[in-house]
Structures are given as structure tokens and as C-alpha cells.
Amino acid sequence: NKKVSAATNRDELENDGVEPASVANYEIFKKSLEEAPLANIRDLLDFESDRESIPLEEVEPAEEIMKRFCTGAMSLGALSREAHETLAIAVNRVGGKSNSGEGGEDTIRGKPIADVDEKGRSPTFPHLAGLKNGDSANSYIHQVASGRFGVTPEFLVTAKQIEIK
């Protein structure tokens, strides 16, 4: 919300006001996790191996791994517009694949964002922060369910992959 950002001076901050207060606070948080009672399956896991570590040179580059990252299909409406577009932009930045879910997307999302100012704001996407010129809010995968609203020819041609439900 632009008004909230302006009212809290978040517009002046490079990352829109989200930053850790201190390393000490992180250490306190980390310790609380380590001492917390068992609550999740991961709390029961302890990784030990009798095998040697893989040499770093043999590990697949992060860029190649990220190409296989996909978001779950969440319709615009199941998520807010801000959340839906933020997920698409973030996953596009790392080279992954976001999924539109049913119901289409605003046609403006099919074009790269080209009007970002020095504060990371765009008149086209005034509800988002931290943008960069060239960002794309277009979902990589466009989901199509028979006869659903929002499935237009433009929606179909701006998809890199179509998922028929």
C-alpha cells in the first residue's frame, strides 16, 4: 500500500523497510528454534552420512537448479493481486516458473515492466515495491480450465507453457 509506505517512510528505504534489526536478534531467533519442542517432522530429522561430500565443482550451478523451481497454481483471487504479482516477479527473477492458476491475469502483466523509478516503484504497478526495469509479472505457466473467465487469446499467447486442467 503506497499510503502505508509513505506514512512509515518506507519509500526512502532501498528494500522497502524490510531488514533485520541486528545479528543479535537473529541469533536469539536461531536459539529459540534450536530449543523449541518438537513440532514439525523436520524437528525429528538429523542428517548424517558415511559418504564424502560432493566436490563443489560437481554440483549443478544454481541457475540450472532454479529452472526447475515452480510455484503452485494459485488463482488471482485465492491470493491478492499484490501477492500473485510479487510471486511471479520473484520466481521470474531467479529463473523459475510461476503458475497463474485459473482465471487469467491482467493483460499488462504480459509486458516487461519498463517504468520503474529510482525508488523501485512503477506507475503501472503502484501497489508493488522493489521493482527493477525489465521485471516481468507474467506467470510462466498459464493454467486453462474449460470455459473459465479470463482465458483470452492474449492470455494464451503470453504463456511460455499452458497447463490444461
Side-chain angles (χ1 to χ4, degrees), residues 22-149:
S22 71
V23 172
N25 286 350
Y26 174 75
E27 292 302 323
I28 292 167
F29 170 72
K30 184 176 158 187
K31 186 175 180 184
S32 74
L33 290 178
E34 291 167 354
E35 295 175 355
L38 299 178
N40 299 296
I41 292 175
R42 69 172 177 258
D43 298 334
L44 301 171
L45 299 176
D46 205 9
F47 295 99
E48 293 181 19
S49 178
D50 58 353
R51 292 184 275 170
E52 298 230 1
S53 297
I54 298 170
L56 198 52
E57 306 81 54
E58 293 181 29
V59 175
E60 189 174 7
E63 296 80 23
E64 292 302 311
I65 295 169
M66 296 307 285
K67 289 178 184 177
R68 295 192 297 270
F69 277 43
C70 296
T71 64
M74 292 289 281
S75 302
L76 183 59
L79 295 177
S80 68
R81 177 180 178 188
E82 294 83 356
H84 208 267
E85 292 170 358
T86 299
L87 276 171
I89 291 167
V91 175
N92 287 335
R93 280 185 185 175
V94 300
K97 298 175 181 122
S98 59
N99 190 321
S100 69
E102 296 177 21
E105 294 178 342
D106 189 327
T107 56
I108 197 68
R109 290 177 63 176
K111 300 172 182 76
I113 303 171
D115 59 353
V116 180
D117 66 19
E118 66 282 349
K119 293 181 181 176
R121 298 286 185 163
S122 161
T124 309
F125 294 87
H127 50 284
L128 300 180
L131 297 171
K132 299 174 186 174
N133 279 313
D135 274 341
S136 174
N138 189 40
S139 292
Y140 185 100
I141 303 166
H142 290 189
Q143 191 180 84
V144 179
S146 59
R148 293 298 294 228
F149 57 91

